[in-house]
Amino acid sequence: MTIEDIEAAARRFSGRVLTTPLVASPSLSKRCGVPVGLKLEHHQTTGSFKLRGATNAVLSLSNEERARGVVAASTGNHGRALAHAARAEGSLATICMSHLVPENKVSEIRRLGADVRIVGSSQDEAQEEVERLVAEKGLVMVPPFDHPAVVAGQGTLGLEIVEQMPDVALVLVPVSGGGLAAGVAAAVKARRPATRVIGLTMERGAAMQASLAAGKPVLVEEQPSLADSLGGGIGLDNRVTFRMCRELLDDIILLTEGEIAAGMRHAYAEEREIVEGAGAVGIAALLAGKINDIDGPIAVILSGRNVHMGLHLSVMNGETDPFRKEAAA
């Protein structure tokens, strides 16, 4: 993965994907003692950064491949993005998801015209259905993260950050399978090698962090979390994102459910932004004092807004861990 791949992705989907704003956060800047900017990627057309990678991947296919149809496993946001990107190019998307994916995300994917398959209780089980459909029906797999075109598409967000905040010293990025983190880190470090990029994820089922600690991709138990978009494994045969995250990320920090809830509340009360749990992890890490050695401007990626509004309301009303009984069961 090179900076040229990321620059090519930006050119390829120009006009199809929004350039999202990066705005100052007075409250977080005061708390941290340095300028803090919020990259409002949750304002993206489908409500998350996933549209970048999905669109680049679909546009990179041949006409024959698009005619066969695309398929992917998803925790929700990639499925929504792929359904949108496929429909825009006259292709049909099939999205496989586990029972852990919130219904609001499932219904939106159906609304976009995708064929939805609900399979099992983990991302890995959904992926097994994807592989069956590829083998039996000839569909073209567009993975949610471990694919060069997907990573390059997500990396365009890093290009925008450097253009919008040229003196950025630290970028805080959500990390799950690593497509966003790898792409952003590749872009940012190509343009500003001294800038640190730190990945953020929830304590429950932190697949990339566990894999990096083990020195190889490992399986983790997928558990309910406010940051549901960060759930799922990285794939035992991971080819792209594990290596890139190992080489490019400066650290990965884990957050409790209570800390994620606090991040969501701050986004709403202080920034007037509605974000899902995965989108709030950067704010959460700053509020919890988990970022050390702050020596310059910080860019915080708000990666998605596709939260069930009933859940969002309960968090705004003080709920810190709606899933604790399920997680303990």
Side-chain angles (χ1 to χ4, degrees):
M1 175 64 55
T2 67
I3 188 65
E4 289 77 18
D5 296 322
I6 298 170
E7 291 169 341
R11 293 190 298 270
R12 186 176 292 119
F13 60 49
S14 177
R16 291 176 169 87
V17 173
L18 298 178
T19 298
T20 53
L22 193 154
V23 302
S25 168
S27 61
L28 292 173
S29 298
K30 181 178 179 180
R31 175 182 289 267
C32 296
V34 298
V36 176
L38 304 178
K39 179 61 170 166
L40 306 184
E41 188 62 15
H42 62 304
H43 290 186
Q44 192 56 256
T45 303
T46 58
S48 86
F49 73 94
K50 290 286 191 177
L51 186 61
R52 296 173 184 266
T55 301
N56 190 48
V58 170
L59 291 176
S60 299
L61 298 175
S62 67
N63 290 335
E64 184 272 335
E65 288 172 321
R66 285 196 287 268
R68 284 156 53 191
V70 294
V71 62
S74 175
T75 54
N77 284 337
H78 176 64
R80 182 171 179 172
L82 186 59
H84 178 96
R87 187 170 73 169
E89 302 305 320
S91 184
L92 175 66
T94 299
I95 309 300
C96 303
M97 295 173 283
S98 81
H99 291 284
L100 291 179
V101 177
E103 178 55 34
N104 67 297
K105 294 186 177 182
V106 175
S107 61
E108 179 60 20
I109 292 169
R110 285 199 175 101
R111 187 190 69 78
L112 289 168
D115 178 12
V116 172
R117 310 286 181 95
I118 305 298
V119 182
S121 58
S122 73
Q123 180 90 328
D124 291 329
E125 290 178 282
Q127 181 60 32
E128 291 174 5
E129 177 68 3
V130 169
E131 292 167 3
R132 185 187 71 79
L133 292 170
V134 169
E136 296 182 7
K137 297 184 178 295
L139 302 186
V140 178
M141 181 166 58
V142 179
F145 53 87
D146 195 38
H147 187 286
V150 171
V151 175
Q154 319 304 27
T156 61
L157 201 157
L159 292 181
E160 292 175 18
I161 289 173
V162 174
E163 290 167 1
Q164 294 165 332
M165 183 181 274
D167 57 347
V168 61
L170 172 63
V171 178
L172 300 182
V173 56
V175 59
S176 177
L180 177 63
V184 167
V188 169
K189 289 181 178 290
R191 294 286 178 84
R192 282 187 57 85
T195 298
R196 291 188 297 152
V197 181
I198 294 179
L200 304 157
T201 192
M202 70 288 194
E203 287 185 346
R204 292 178 181 166
M208 183 60 76
Q209 189 271 346
S211 296
L212 292 175
K216 63 181 181 179
V218 297
L219 294 173
V220 296
E221 181 184 357
E222 195 169 339
Q223 300 180 44
S225 170
L226 283 171
D228 56 90
S229 295
L230 302 183
I234 71 167
L236 294 181
D237 61 346
N238 188 289
R239 294 177 176 85
V240 180
T241 60
F242 173 75
R243 175 187 57 79
M244 291 184 68
C245 286
R246 181 181 60 196
E247 294 175 358
L248 296 172
L249 290 183
D250 294 281
D251 198 3
I252 292 183
I253 292 173
L254 305 184
L255 297 157
T256 68
E257 295 299 299
E259 289 165 346
I260 295 169
M264 294 173 69
R265 282 193 290 272
H266 177 94
Y268 184 69
E270 299 294 334
E271 315 295 345
R272 300 298 192 263
E273 300 289 347
I274 294 174
V275 294
E276 58 187 284
V281 290
I283 293 175
L286 292 177
L287 295 178
K290 291 190 169 182
I291 305 299
N292 299 315
D293 301 321
I294 297 174
D295 58 0
I298 302 171
V300 182
I301 297 173
L302 308 188
S303 57
R305 68 167 185 255
N306 298 323
V307 60
H308 188 285
M309 292 310 296
L311 175 61
H312 189 269
L313 180 61
S314 72
V315 173
M316 296 309 103
N317 286 333
E319 177 64 78
T320 59
D321 189 357
F323 304 109
R324 61 183 177 274
K325 293 181 181 178
E326 298 175 53

